[in-house]
Amino acid sequence: MKFAYGSSRKGDVAEALRHITEPAALLFSVANEEMLERTANEIERTFPGVASIGGVGQTYIGKQFFDAGITVIAMKENVKVVADVLEQASVMPAKYIRRLENAVKSVGGERGRTACFDLCSAGADVRAVTTLSDFLCRLGYDLAGGTSNSASVACNGKVYKDACAFFVFKNLNGKIKSYKENIYIHPQENEKQFMVTEAEPRNYRIRTLENMSAEKVYTSELGISRDKITTQTFKNPFGHVCGSDTYIVSIKGVEADGSITTFRPANRMDFLTILKMGDYREVVQDTISRIKSDLGGASAVLSVNCLFRYIMFNDERYWDSYLAEMCRNFSHAGMVGVGEHYNTQFVNQTMCCLAFE
């Protein structure tokens, strides 16, 4: 697969599409939700019948980063793509599962060569990921994707509220495989795990850990004051321990009663640990090595990087180097999301991607 792209800082869709030809699929981002419908409509008029999905957020391709106007990423050559949408994504996306089934049939789904990339509206992650992965993973198809910074997403020229738009890809030239990159590690000494003893998953709120307020546990373990909690998550997010893996839970805020709100829900009796930042340069190199080892080289990598990861890399003056390192090894493009999806899990502060052989 190959990428092409176009952009317009002033929001001119025609300008953004000017140099794109014969796309198999189009992933687009806009600076704000008011631009979504017009952009989706004009893309459909210009490329009728071509699979397209889009949302609100920043975009990158190669070494370039786009945070204004409209950006369009075109995918082409050696790939078959169908786009569709699960509606009522935060309530009952399973009602629309036939659309996913039909998309897989349309591309001629084949284990190892078929995968899904999704983009859902904010707040719809949990049920959307569960619904997609329940069908896909049983058949051996990988999932990667993320969350738009908006209440709506676009699919094939239309805008949908509370929805999950998706591409189903079949690589006509080899394998597709999903990857998750976690730059945080468990403390090596005296690692503690804390049971969630009281929570409101619907409100993304952790009330108590080990029967103590979540605020008290977090601040005591790190030796920080209450007002530092929301920035400390860049270096020390929670990690949800799930079998042999750990999924990141970002902190959103702290409430008057000592409960902590997060960007991913935690349930009563989940075990959380407080992670610390690892050597992110080494972790990025390890991801690149794994992709090369698994696929013998990749023609393209389509990714979602968490907004918090982007902010942290920027603060560390590493973001430009990160993009340069990825594109030194692959054709690389993607979006900055406010949540990330990897097979069966909704995660935070992570990079998730599909790599195409």
Side-chain angles (χ1 to χ4, degrees), residues 27-286:
L27 172 66
F28 70 92
S29 67
V30 293
N32 57 68
E33 196 163 348
E34 289 69 35
M35 302 169 69
L36 200 57
E37 185 171 10
R38 175 175 58 85
T39 305
N41 290 341
E42 291 192 35
I43 287 174
E44 178 65 22
R45 281 198 296 270
T46 305
F47 295 107
V50 173
S52 67
I53 66 174
V56 176
Q58 300 102 325
T59 306
Y60 46 86
I61 181 163
K63 297 180 183 179
Q64 299 189 76
F65 180 70
F66 305 91
D67 61 357
I70 297 165
T71 308
V72 183
I73 299 170
M75 290 149 274
K76 54 199 299 183
E77 297 187 19
N78 298 312
V79 65
K80 189 172 183 180
V81 194
V82 171
D84 213 325
V85 62
L86 302 180
E87 299 177 62
Q88 295 179 263
S90 68
V91 182
M92 195 182 294
K95 181 178 176 181
Y96 303 90
I97 194 65
R98 185 73 67 187
R99 296 176 182 178
L100 178 61
E101 295 172 358
N102 290 338
V104 169
K105 289 177 184 176
S106 294
V107 301
E110 184 178 345
R111 183 184 290 264
R113 298 166 70 98
T114 302
C116 180
F117 181 91
D118 81 290
L119 184 64
C120 77
S121 49
D125 304 80
V126 175
R127 284 188 170 85
V129 172
T130 299
T131 301
L132 289 169
S133 64
D134 183 61
F135 175 75
L136 294 165
C137 294
R138 280 190 289 109
L139 298 175
Y141 305 147
D142 283 0
L143 168 69
T147 315
S148 171
N149 192 13
S150 58
S152 302
V153 290
C155 180
N156 295 335
K158 296 181 180 179
V159 172
Y160 300 85
K161 279 192 175 293
D162 188 21
C164 180
F166 62 84
F167 289 133
V168 172
F169 291 102
K170 181 174 182 181
N171 187 358
L172 305 179
N173 205 38
K175 301 174 186 175
I176 311 177
K177 187 171 174 57
S178 64
Y179 295 86
K180 171 175 67 72
E181 183 176 272
N182 177 5
I183 61 173
Y184 298 91
I185 61 175
H186 293 262
Q188 295 301 305
E189 298 179 5
N190 303 318
E191 178 185 330
K192 296 180 183 178
Q193 293 186 7
F194 305 95
M195 180 187 286
V196 178
T197 44
E198 189 178 354
E200 296 176 19
R202 183 180 293 274
N203 299 319
Y204 289 27
R205 179 178 293 194
I206 303 168
R207 287 192 173 275
T208 62
L209 297 167
E210 303 291 346
N211 295 312
M212 292 187 291
S213 77
E215 174 200 343
K216 183 175 181 180
V217 170
Y218 188 80
T219 55
S220 296
E221 288 298 313
L222 295 175
I224 62 170
S225 58
R226 172 191 171 93
D227 63 308
K228 296 289 194 299
I229 290 176
T230 54
T231 53
Q232 195 68 31
T233 192
F234 290 103
K235 293 184 177 180
N236 299 106
F238 283 123
H240 175 207
V241 181
C242 187
S244 61
D245 211 343
T246 300
Y247 300 95
I248 299 170
V249 182
S250 297
I251 294 172
K252 183 177 184 180
V254 57
E255 304 300 316
D257 64 356
S259 56
I260 286 177
T261 55
T262 60
F263 286 95
R264 175 184 183 270
N267 297 295
R268 185 173 174 274
M269 299 186 72
D270 281 351
F271 281 93
L272 301 182
T273 188
I274 298 174
L275 302 174
K276 69 176 185 178
M277 191 186 301
D279 184 337
Y280 48 81
R281 291 176 177 85
E282 185 177 303
V283 173
V284 170
Q285 289 301 322
D286 179 63

Side-chain angles (χ1 to χ4, degrees), residues 277-330:
M277 191 186 301
D279 184 337
Y280 48 81
R281 291 176 177 85
E282 185 177 303
V283 173
V284 170
Q285 289 301 322
D286 179 63
T287 300
I288 290 168
S289 297
R290 282 190 294 130
I291 293 172
K292 287 182 172 180
S293 175
D294 291 345
L295 301 180
S299 62
V301 173
L302 178 63
S303 68
V304 175
N305 269 276
C306 179
L307 177 62
F308 276 21
R309 230 175 90 110
Y310 161 66
I311 293 170
M312 192 278 293
F313 278 178
N314 248 348
D315 289 346
E316 296 283 314
R317 299 182 180 177
Y318 177 65
W319 178 251
D320 290 342
S321 298
Y322 166 72
L323 293 182
E325 189 61 32
M326 288 296 285
C327 81
R328 238 191 313 272
N329 291 275
F330 316 110

